[in-house]
């Protein structure tokens, strides 16, 4: 059997093995392929760098589950690293049931304690808050009346020093939301941005971008990070390449494999047709 015939009858398991290698290798050993920096990445980096000031209080909310982690988890980690370089108060919470699981995974990547943050004084985790948009509105009116205890130690909020100055939405300087659906930005905007003027930046999956753009154009969302590629650009701006850069490398190499297979397959096909004639 000629080489051309072998190519035309290539075992699909070999193709699956090649795909596995082309994806896994750059995830383990990132290649650092060139990535142009977009305006979205610059806007996100610039907002966190220049508009988040020492002493500000930030709500950091992973509004997604495991299905959204491939796109959203890298930007969640990178943004937390950026925040922890500043002297801010961080309130972690989520209106998605899997939000606390996502944040626990984040803690394995970046721990506030490594940056000198003390739990209960500099940051606090309120965990999952049930009730969707209704709970969002209730939290804006009163943290203590909406959430009884924290998520980590199970103690009343009033027992933590950080909560002495956090009572209502007027005490919050910024919302950073990473999300895949509902509840999400529209609910945050209705319950927090419009009535209280709390600014907001949003990280979302690629398919959510068309629904977010009107809020960006209106100024209700101050910065938008759409998907994995922009996350990689943000990591480069931070000079901390991580999960997103490795993920974009894997996407690039997998696309390269597809192009090579298409070219080789077409060459083999047309050469076989010539032999038949």
């Amino acid at each position: 059997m000629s080489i051309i015939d072998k190519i035309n009858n290539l075992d699909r398991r070999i193709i699956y093995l090649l795909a596995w290698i082309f994806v896994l290798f750059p995830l383990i050993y990132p290649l650092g392929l060139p990535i142009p920096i977009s305006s979205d990445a610059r806007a996100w980096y610039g907002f966190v760098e220049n508009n988040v000031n020492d002493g500000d209080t930030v709500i950091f909310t992973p509004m997604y589950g495991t299905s959204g982690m491939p796109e959203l988890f890298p930007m969640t980690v990178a943004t937390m690293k950026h925040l922890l370089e500043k002297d801010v108060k961080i309130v972690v919470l989520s209106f998605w049931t899997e939000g606390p699981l996502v944040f626990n995974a984040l803690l394995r990547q970046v721990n506030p304690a490594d940056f000198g943050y003390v739990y209960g004084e500099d940051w606090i985790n309120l965990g999952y808050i049930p009730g969707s948009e209704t709970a969002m509105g209730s939290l804006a009116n009163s943290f203590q009346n909406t959430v009884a205890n924290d998520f980590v130690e199970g103690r009343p909020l009033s027992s933590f020093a950080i909560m002495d100055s956090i009572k209502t939405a007027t005490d919050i300087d910024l919302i950073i939301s990473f999300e895949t659906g509902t509840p999400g930005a529209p609910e945050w905007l209705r319950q927090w941005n419009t009535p209280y003027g709390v600014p907001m930046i949003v990280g979302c999956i690629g398919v959510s971008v068309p629904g977010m753009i009107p809020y960006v154009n209106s100024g209700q969302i101050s910065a938008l990070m759409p998907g994995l590629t922009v996350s990689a650009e943000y990591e480069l701006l931070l000079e901390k390449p991580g999960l997103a850069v490795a993920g974009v490398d894997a996407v690039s190499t997998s696309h390269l494999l597809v192009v090579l297979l298409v070219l080789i397959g077409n060459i083999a096909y047309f050469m076989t047709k010539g032999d038949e004639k």
Side-chain angles (χ1 to χ4, degrees):
M1 181 181 290
S2 68
I3 294 178
I4 299 300
D5 291 330
K6 289 181 179 179
I7 291 175
N8 279 328
N9 296 281
L10 187 66
D11 192 325
R12 69 183 64 185
R13 288 173 294 184
I14 295 177
I15 296 177
Y16 295 152
L17 177 61
L18 288 172
W20 184 79
I21 293 172
F22 271 65
V23 170
L24 186 61
F25 183 83
L27 289 176
I28 299 176
Y29 304 103
L31 305 175
L33 298 174
I35 304 173
I37 307 299
S38 68
S39 58
D40 290 328
R42 294 187 188 278
W44 186 279
Y45 174 85
F47 190 91
V48 177
E49 184 68 18
N50 302 316
N51 293 78
V52 179
N53 303 308
D54 290 346
D56 283 354
T57 301
V58 178
I59 284 181
F60 190 92
T61 173
M63 304 276 282
Y64 62 95
T66 52
S67 62
M69 290 186 73
E71 275 195 85
L72 298 184
F73 190 66
M75 70 175 72
T76 309
V77 172
T79 304
M80 177 57 81
K81 289 180 179 178
H82 198 174
L83 276 181
L84 291 174
E85 292 176 348
K86 297 174 172 288
D87 182 16
V88 297
K89 304 294 184 184
I90 302 174
V91 180
V92 178
L93 56 88
S94 181
F95 294 93
W96 279 59
T97 55
E98 292 181 87
L101 298 177
V102 171
F103 188 75
N104 284 341
L106 182 146
L107 288 177
R108 292 191 287 271
Q109 298 284 334
V110 51
N111 194 321
D114 296 335
F115 293 78
Y117 275 62
V118 178
Y119 185 78
E121 296 180 12
D122 304 309
W123 76 284
I124 191 168
N125 186 354
L126 304 187
Y128 165 63
I129 303 175
S132 191
E133 185 173 359
T134 302
M136 286 181 175
S138 175
L139 190 71
N141 288 324
S142 173
F143 276 75
Q144 280 77 9
N145 290 341
T146 304
V147 181
N149 305 312
D150 80 304
F151 180 73
V152 177
E153 299 179 1
R155 291 164 47 196
L157 295 193
S158 59
S159 64
F160 293 97
I162 188 177
M163 298 307 299
D164 291 343
S165 59
I166 303 174
K167 304 298 183 183
T168 68
T170 58
D171 300 316
I172 302 298
D173 299 293
L174 176 67
I175 298 168
I176 304 179
S177 179
F178 305 95
E179 55 191 58
T180 55
T182 303
E187 290 75 26
W188 277 115
L189 294 173
R190 282 195 293 265
Q191 299 300 329
W192 284 69
N193 178 266
T194 300
Y196 298 98
V198 182
M200 180 178 181
I201 59 176
V202 176
C204 66
I205 56 178
V207 296
S208 298
V209 174
M212 296 293 180
I213 291 299
Y215 301 123
V216 176
N217 293 338
S218 68
Q220 292 171 282
I221 292 178
S222 300
L224 180 70
M225 187 180 294
L228 185 65
T229 301
V230 181
S231 302
E233 298 165 8
Y234 176 52
E235 288 182 349
L236 293 178
L237 288 172
L238 289 172
E239 299 182 353
K240 293 179 182 196
L243 297 173
V245 169
V248 169
D249 281 349
V251 171
S252 298
T253 54
S254 64
H255 288 178
L256 177 62
L257 174 63
V258 171
V259 171
L260 290 174
L261 290 174
V262 169
L263 288 174
I264 293 171
N266 276 278
I267 291 171
Y269 171 75
F270 285 109
M271 290 183 68
T272 303
K273 285 188 66 176
D275 292 341
E276 291 175 354
K277 289 182 180 179

